[in-house]
Amino acid sequence: MRSSRYFLPVLKEAPSDAQIVSHQLMLRAGMIRQEAAGIYAWLPLGLRVLNKIEQIVREEMDRAGAIELLMPTIQLADLWRESGRYDDYGDEMLRITDRHKRELLFGPTAEEVVTDIFRASIKSYKDLPKNLYNIQWKFRDERRPRFGVMRGREFLMKDAYSFDLDADGARKSYNRMFVAYLNLFARMGLKAVPMRADTGPIGGDLSHEFIVLAETGESAVFCHKDLVEMPAPGPDLDWINGDLQPLVNQRTALYAATEEMHDEAAFNALPEGDRLSARGIEVGHIFSFGTKYSEPMKATVQGPDGQQVPVQMGSYGVGVSRLLGAIIEASHDEGGIIWPESVAPFDVGIVNMRQGDAACDAACETAYNALKAAGREVLYDDTDARGGAKFATMDLIGLPWQLIVGPKGIAEGVVEIKHRKTGERHTASLESVLDGLTKSKTT
Amino acid sequence: MRSSRYFLPVLKEAPSDAQIVSHQLMLRAGMIRQEAAGIYAWLPLGLRVLNKIEQIVREEMDRAGAIELLMPTIQLADLWRESGRYDDYGDEMLRITDRHKRELLFGPTAEEVVTDIFRASIKSYKDLPKNLYNIQWKFRDERRPRFGVMRGREFLMKDAYSFDLDADGARKSYNRMFVAYLNLFARMGLKAVPMRADTGPIGGDLSHEFIVLAETGESAVFCHKDLVEMPAPGPDLDWINGDLQPLVNQRTALYAATEEMHDEAAFNALPEGDRLSARGIEVGHIFSFGTKYSEPMKATVQGPDGQQVPVQMGSYGVGVSRLLGAIIEASHDEGGIIWPESVAPFDVGIVNMRQGDAACDAACETAYNALKAAGREVLYDDTDARGGAKFATMDLIGLPWQLIVGPKGIAEGVVEIKHRKTGERHTASLESVLDGLTKSKTT
């Protein structure tokens, strides 16, 4: 993409109501624009990152055997009356009346809809287990939307729903999501710690939040410090038949709880050096709630003995749009965002220090075309802005690599390559720099 | 994907309220499920097709120089008051009041939001032309939703918006979309005819609908018959600087109009053999409306002479979710859907005629793994349903190729390959069939 044809409205200063760094940087980097309180338009740069995060989530869900579908944003109030949640949900539910006076709502979550889909089609234990997920916009009418996409009203969520014949199967489904979450957050460069959590309006008796530690986090969290650096298991597991319980136990054996579930005595029983008391951002939340929805909504299957039994369910959320904020909180410096390569909007930025200079332009075009041909995503700043402004923009938007082409270097046959994360710069021939950038993303 | 783990709830019969064949087939093939009047959940098979159509639209927009962003579904009523459309839009607008009594709406289109984004950032003619598009769920509260996804209330639309300094630039932007539309519909196997159209609530004085002829179409249309078979120009054009006017003129020189714009006298002036009077499905609609939004909303740029001028705009819609219905109307037979390869949910279906037979299972596994390794998308029916039921499902869901593995053939060292579109079957060794299927999609 050429900057001259792109739409990248960077700002010199963030609006004063942006309180946390991720919100400030997303506004300044031209990633989002607020259209109403807690409602954002995703500008081209922001959308690219959102899509990459969404794709990582999708791949890890698919790997764990979940099946993607897409539920509508608008739901029937009557379906929520069946589960008993319509009146319970309170002011956060955006309630709507259509032209025929039917009561609708903008889905804040989709347990009812997915249970309705399930009960219409699946009748036998032979079709279990099933895990159905979707990545769809949700709306929660927060009383006080804040922190940009971290606590917006319209937000993108991945929500998966598992269906099993019995508690043992439900536990396995829960474990699959637990482990998939460890992997998917790790792929985004995040250290997300699973913590015992309150179940709130979703319900059930087993629940974990996945928490990224950050000073700007909204909740106080408490955990054993070893959990933070524990590596993710990685993809090479038997997701269908394997026993994932040991991987889960390895983590749940160590103390970790959100404020609501915090047990001061248990925490204080840890050696002082192992105690980590911090603030955190919730990026995922998983629930096992048995028959809370299947029973009132009559989602039953025929068991092996011919009896009808209500299906055992769980639900598994990832805050896809919120993750952009969490990643930026975890990865930025004074100059701006530092994207992990897996979610960067472009792999490489090309800075032409003297647009219009024939030699610089030619070198940049060569680089741009070679990198694109090698499958790299490239933003080529071909505008006539000054070099200093171009550098500032590149640092702000946080692409992993910057390729800098200036007249002095070109005269000597060299260009500069800068690694955004470390700030390291190297000077080398264009050919060798391109060779490195096209060989692998981590070169 | 293995059928045993998939979620493909096919129906023997379509509900009686499904009046047209595309609606019936989408329900029977387990692609969609109605959750409320005009509101559908996209089941896994339907979502796969939706995603492919969306991706074709995206690629053709990108090729034509449009930049993707994503606007929220929920919009501020006040923004629509600025353009004067809030009161005009009528009952089709889903109006919403939030917990703080602010007036919102579920966007039926996004001229106001995109104009707001534009005016906040773009100040100079030097940043023009721009074309910003998004693919997002819209809501129109149809009085009588019907025909499944063809006239739903919640629907997926690609909407692009062009911004130019003057009428000449606006015309070029219009032409770019006009030609891009010819290509994108052709890539889906559709013959879409551009016709002079009424502008309705969007406004402006230049507008074309892209119409797929179908007996079940909702509107009467009239055109020169040569337009139907006129081939699309294809992608190899100079989208930035090229003159696309001749390609547009080649089509607009021939009579074509929707009912609202029909000129009986002009139509009857055609030789009788050239007159085509038919019914059609609107799959795209493009508009050029000058300063209708930019003037009241004060979206101005500084021109070369230093003066502020309101920007010239156009908007360009494609009914992404509706396209599934249009494609099925155009491509089906008694057995079910016949997907064009470009949008098929899977490339190949494997039918194991005797699941559990060691030789059949082994051959199917070999085929499944080889095709996946070659990048083919495969649905392997590994259930214990009878062969006849498996054939019926494969025909119903319309995958381009069926690979049939039975015990008799395997004993003789052969399998069968069936082409869904022509119904042709060939018997050959598994190796040669796989060789053909992995070499190219059109083999």
Side-chain angles (χ1 to χ4, degrees):
Chain A
M1 180 58 62
R2 292 167 196 273
S3 295
S4 61
R5 295 187 196 142
Y6 203 43
F7 181 56
L8 180 63
V10 298
L11 304 177
K12 287 235 173 81
E13 287 178 24
S16 57
D17 60 341
Q19 298 167 29
I20 62 173
V21 69
S22 59
H23 189 192
Q24 292 161 1
L25 288 174
M26 287 182 77
L27 291 168
R28 285 189 51 213
M31 296 179 64
I32 53 171
R33 176 178 153 75
Q34 181 172 310
E35 290 299 323
I39 300 178
Y40 292 87
W42 293 78
L43 303 183
L45 197 77
L47 179 60
R48 290 182 77 100
V49 181
L50 188 69
N51 286 342
K52 297 214 169 172
I53 290 175
E54 186 180 324
Q55 185 57 22
I56 289 175
V57 173
R58 176 174 291 120
E59 287 169 12
E60 296 305 322
M61 286 297 104
D62 292 346
R63 193 195 309 282
I67 307 286
E68 188 174 8
L69 44 64
L70 186 63
M71 292 179 269
T73 64
I74 299 297
Q75 306 178 2
L76 277 182
D78 279 346
L79 212 49
W80 286 66
R81 292 204 172 91
E82 283 192 53
S83 71
R85 284 207 294 179
Y86 188 66
D87 295 322
D88 293 352
Y89 211 90
D91 288 341
E92 281 194 12
M93 179 183 281
L94 191 68
R95 293 158 206 264
I96 305 171
T97 305
D98 75 8
R99 67 190 292 171
H100 296 302
K101 306 297 172 213
R102 280 173 298 214
E103 290 172 289
L104 306 172
L105 57 99
F106 198 124
T109 177
E111 280 79 9
E112 284 79 1
V113 175
V114 81
T115 304
D116 182 54
I117 290 169
F118 178 91
R119 70 182 173 184
S121 306
I122 297 190
K123 307 293 186 187
S124 164
Y125 76 96
K126 291 179 191 163
D127 293 324
L128 302 182
K130 276 282 178 285
N131 184 321
L132 304 175
Y133 78 98
N134 80 166
I135 302 175
Q136 176 62 296
W137 292 91
K138 307 288 191 294
F139 200 98
R140 289 183 192 163
D141 201 359
E142 299 274 352
R143 194 176 57 80
R144 202 165 75 83
R146 57 194 179 280
F147 303 154
V149 299
M150 297 277 264
R151 189 164 288 278
R153 294 198 290 170
E154 185 170 329
F155 61 98
L156 188 61
M157 184 163 93
K158 184 283 298 178
D159 37 325
Y161 304 88
S162 66
F163 302 88
D164 285 274
L165 176 64
D166 53 32
D168 183 54
R171 180 74 208 205
K172 285 179 178 145
S173 290
Y174 188 88
N175 289 348
R176 247 177 241 124
M177 291 294 102
F178 188 107
V179 175
Y181 276 35
L182 296 172
N183 286 337
L184 73 84
F185 294 123
R187 279 186 64 187
M188 299 170 197
L190 289 174
K191 294 169 184 166
V193 179
M195 303 197 181
R196 287 286 300 200
D198 189 27
T199 58
I202 304 290
D205 53 8
L206 174 62
S207 178
H208 286 89
E209 285 184 20
F210 287 74
I211 299 279
V212 173
L213 303 183
E215 283 171 28
T216 49
E218 288 199 85
S219 31
V221 294
F222 307 86
C223 71
H224 191 294
K225 71 169 178 43
D226 287 358
L227 281 168
V228 181
E229 300 297 336
M230 200 177 282
D236 296 329
L237 299 169
D238 179 351
W239 291 93
I240 309 282
N241 300 311
D243 181 7
L244 304 179
Q245 193 69 52
L247 289 170
V248 173
N249 290 350
Q250 193 187 0
R251 283 150 184 94
T252 55
L254 298 178
Y255 186 88
T258 61
E259 197 163 15
E260 297 81 8
M261 300 295 281
H262 185 45
D263 176 345
E264 192 75 24
F267 186 61
N268 286 335
L270 296 182
E272 193 171 350
D274 289 345
R275 284 179 231 157
L276 185 62
S277 163
R279 298 199 69 79
I281 300 166
E282 176 201 338
V283 288
H285 199 163
I286 64 179
F287 303 86
S288 182
F289 40 67
T291 60
K292 171 172 170 163
Y293 300 89
S294 58
E295 207 142 6
M297 293 184 69
K298 301 189 177 54
T300 63
V301 292
Q302 189 172 48
D305 58 0
Q307 297 297 307
Q308 291 289 325
V309 289
V311 71
Q312 299 280 328
M313 291 176 58
S315 75
Y316 313 92
V318 169
V320 175
S321 47
R322 166 181 287 192
L323 274 166
L324 278 89
I327 293 169
I328 295 173
E329 290 292 330
S331 185
H332 66 272
D333 64 13
E334 286 183 0
I337 302 165
I338 303 171
W339 289 116
E341 300 201 353
S342 58
V343 301
F346 295 94
D347 301 315
V348 184
I350 300 176
V351 175
N352 188 340
M353 296 291 287
R354 193 169 295 169
Q355 197 71 34
D357 175 275
C360 287
D361 291 0
C364 287
E365 292 290 334
T366 300
Y368 183 56
N369 291 321
L371 291 168
K372 280 204 301 177
R376 291 291 165 274
E377 295 172 310
V378 190
L379 182 68
Y380 168 22
D381 191 341
D382 62 343
T383 64
D384 50 15
R386 286 173 307 102
K390 291 188 179 187
F391 286 140
T393 295
M394 283 294 172
D395 280 355
L396 175 62
I397 67 175
L399 311 185
W401 297 97
Q402 299 171 17
L403 173 61
I404 301 149
V405 177
K408 190 150 161 278
I410 287 294
E412 295 165 8
V414 295
V415 298
E416 215 177 351
I417 182 81
K418 175 178 164 183
H419 189 217
R420 174 67 181 91
K421 187 173 177 180
T422 59
E424 283 170 20
R425 293 159 167 261
H426 295 286
T427 298
S429 72
L430 178 59
E431 194 182 1
S432 73
V433 166
L434 291 180
D435 197 46
L437 287 174
T438 52
K439 264 200 188 114
S440 92
K441 286 209 176 190
T442 50
T443 300
Chain B
M1 179 59 64
R2 293 167 195 273
S3 295
S4 61
R5 295 187 196 140
Y6 203 42
F7 180 56
L8 180 63
V10 298
L11 304 177
K12 287 234 174 83
E13 287 179 23
S16 58
D17 61 340
Q19 298 167 27
I20 62 172
V21 69
S22 59
H23 189 192
Q24 292 161 359
L25 288 174
M26 288 182 76
L27 290 168
R28 285 189 51 213
M31 296 179 64
I32 54 171
R33 177 179 153 74
Q34 181 171 308
E35 290 299 322
I39 300 178
Y40 292 87
W42 293 79
L43 303 183
L45 197 77
L47 179 60
R48 289 181 78 99
V49 181
L50 188 69
N51 286 342
K52 296 214 170 172
I53 291 175
E54 185 180 325
Q55 185 57 23
I56 289 175
V57 173
R58 176 174 291 120
E59 286 170 12
E60 296 305 322
M61 286 298 104
D62 292 347
R63 193 194 309 281
I67 307 287
E68 188 174 8
L69 45 64
L70 186 64
M71 291 179 270
T73 64
I74 299 297
Q75 306 179 1
L76 277 181
D78 279 346
L79 212 49
W80 287 65
R81 292 205 171 91
E82 283 192 54
S83 71
R85 284 208 294 180
Y86 188 67
D87 295 322
D88 294 352
Y89 211 89
D91 287 341
E92 281 193 12
M93 179 183 280
L94 190 68
R95 293 158 206 264
I96 305 171
T97 306
D98 75 8
R99 67 189 293 171
H100 296 302
K101 306 297 171 211
R102 279 173 299 213
E103 290 172 289
L104 306 172
L105 57 99
F106 198 124
T109 178
E111 280 80 8
E112 284 80 359
V113 175
V114 80
T115 304
D116 181 55
I117 290 169
F118 179 91
R119 70 182 173 184
S121 307
I122 297 190
K123 306 292 186 188
S124 164
Y125 76 96
K126 291 179 191 162
D127 293 323
L128 301 183
K130 276 281 178 286
N131 183 322
L132 304 176
Y133 79 98
N134 80 166
I135 302 175
Q136 177 62 295
W137 292 91
K138 306 289 192 293
F139 200 98
R140 288 183 193 163
D141 200 0
E142 299 275 352
R143 194 175 57 80
R144 202 165 76 84
R146 58 193 179 281
F147 304 154
V149 299
M150 297 276 264
R151 189 164 288 279
R153 294 198 290 170
E154 185 169 330
F155 61 98
L156 188 60
M157 185 163 93
K158 184 284 297 178
D159 38 324
Y161 303 88
S162 66
F163 302 88
D164 284 275
L165 176 64
D166 52 32
D168 182 54
R171 180 74 209 204
K172 286 179 178 145
S173 290
Y174 188 88
N175 289 347
R176 247 176 242 125
M177 291 293 103
F178 188 106
V179 175
Y181 275 34
L182 296 172
N183 286 337
L184 72 85
F185 293 123
R187 279 186 63 187
M188 299 170 197
L190 290 174
K191 294 168 184 167
V193 179
M195 304 198 181
R196 285 287 299 200
D198 189 27
T199 58
I202 304 289
D205 53 8
L206 174 62
S207 178
H208 286 88
E209 285 184 20
F210 287 74
I211 299 279
V212 173
L213 303 184
E215 284 171 27
T216 49
E218 288 199 85
S219 28
V221 294
F222 307 86
C223 70
H224 192 293
K225 71 169 178 43
D226 287 358
L227 281 169
V228 181
E229 300 297 335
M230 199 177 281
D236 296 328
L237 300 169
D238 180 351
W239 291 93
I240 309 283
N241 300 311
D243 182 7
L244 304 178
Q245 193 69 52
L247 289 170
V248 174
N249 290 349
Q250 192 187 358
R251 284 153 183 91
T252 54
L254 298 178
Y255 186 88
T258 61
E259 197 163 15
E260 297 81 8
M261 300 296 280
H262 185 45
D263 177 345
E264 192 75 24
F267 185 61
N268 286 335
L270 295 182
E272 193 170 350
D274 289 346
R275 285 179 229 157
L276 185 63
S277 162
R279 299 199 68 79
I281 300 166
E282 176 201 339
V283 288
H285 199 162
I286 63 178
F287 303 86
S288 183
F289 41 68
T291 60
K292 172 173 167 160
Y293 300 89
S294 58
E295 207 142 5
M297 294 184 68
K298 301 188 177 56
T300 63
V301 292
Q302 190 172 48
D305 59 0
Q307 297 296 307
Q308 291 290 324
V309 289
V311 71
Q312 299 280 328
M313 291 176 58
S315 75
Y316 313 92
V318 169
V320 176
S321 47
R322 166 181 286 193
L323 274 166
L324 278 89
I327 293 169
I328 294 173
E329 290 293 331
S331 185
H332 67 272
D333 63 14
E334 286 184 0
I337 303 165
I338 303 171
W339 289 116
E341 299 201 354
S342 58
V343 301
F346 296 93
D347 301 315
V348 184
I350 300 176
V351 175
N352 188 339
M353 296 291 287
R354 194 169 294 169
Q355 197 71 33
D357 175 275
C360 286
D361 291 0
C364 287
E365 292 290 333
T366 299
Y368 184 56
N369 292 321
L371 291 169
K372 281 204 303 177
R376 291 290 165 273
E377 295 172 310
V378 191
L379 182 68
Y380 168 22
D381 191 341
D382 62 342
T383 64
D384 49 16
R386 286 174 307 103
K390 290 188 179 186
F391 285 140
T393 296
M394 282 295 171
D395 279 356
L396 175 62
I397 67 175
L399 310 185
W401 296 96
Q402 299 171 17
L403 198 170
I404 301 149
V405 177
K408 188 150 162 278
I410 288 294
E412 295 165 7
V414 295
V415 298
E416 214 177 353
I417 181 83
K418 174 178 165 185
H419 189 217
R420 174 68 181 91
K421 188 173 177 180
T422 59
E424 283 170 20
R425 293 159 167 261
H426 295 286
T427 298
S429 72
L430 178 60
E431 194 181 1
S432 73
V433 166
L434 291 180
D435 197 47
L437 287 173
T438 53
K439 266 202 186 112
S440 92
K441 286 210 176 190
T442 50
T443 300

